[in-house]
Amino acid sequence: MTTESKPATKPLVSLSERAAAHVKTLFDRKGTPDAYLRMAVAGGGCSGMSYKLDVATEAGPADRIIESFGVKVLVDMKSALYVAGIEIDYDDDLMNAGFKFINPNAKTSCGCGESFST
């Protein structure tokens, strides 16, 4: 008898450990340790679409909730089409500190990494 294993599917959104630790620190500083990190995509930016991160206190009816390293991430259904499989990292380098987006759906992205096109 043989069994086939299904390939592991990537989560809709994942955070690196560094990104999750940074988000938790930000939430603690704001006094909202149980908040959600909202991930969205909006038109604009030098490549056509921009990543948006925000703090949310509750999920909406059309939100998907993903947990990564203890951080609850909200993604609306429209944005989910553009970010499926994305990893959000955080770099605390002196010159380039900030969130980094590794999006397998992006065909091109700008030099700053905050906008992309599909």
Side-chain angles (χ1 to χ4, degrees):
M1 180 168 128
T2 61
T3 58
E4 289 186 40
S5 62
K6 293 182 181 179
T9 57
K10 289 188 92 171
L12 179 61
V13 174
S14 63
L15 301 176
S16 68
E17 284 189 67
R18 284 187 305 204
H22 187 71
V23 169
K24 288 176 186 176
T25 298
L26 292 173
F27 287 178
D28 286 343
R29 282 186 199 156
K30 287 181 162 270
T32 57
D34 296 326
Y36 297 91
L37 176 67
R38 177 170 293 285
M39 165 87 200
V41 172
C46 24
S47 292
M49 303 183 95
S50 297
Y51 300 109
K52 303 289 182 194
L53 296 177
D54 203 358
V55 179
T57 55
E58 59 185 46
D63 286 332
R64 300 269 314 268
I65 303 172
I66 302 94
E67 189 162 331
S68 185
F69 290 105
V71 175
K72 294 174 282 191
V73 182
L74 300 177
V75 181
D76 65 86
M77 295 309 288
K78 180 181 171 194
S79 296
L81 298 171
Y82 299 102
V83 299
I86 195 169
E87 180 183 0
I88 303 171
D89 193 10
Y90 183 79
D91 191 353
D92 60 0
D93 183 57
L94 185 60
M95 294 292 288
N96 297 310
F99 289 102
K100 309 295 180 209
F101 303 93
I102 302 105
N103 186 348
N105 306 300
K107 300 277 189 258
T108 61
S109 59
C110 67
C112 68
E114 293 180 14
S115 70
F116 69 101
S117 68
T118 57

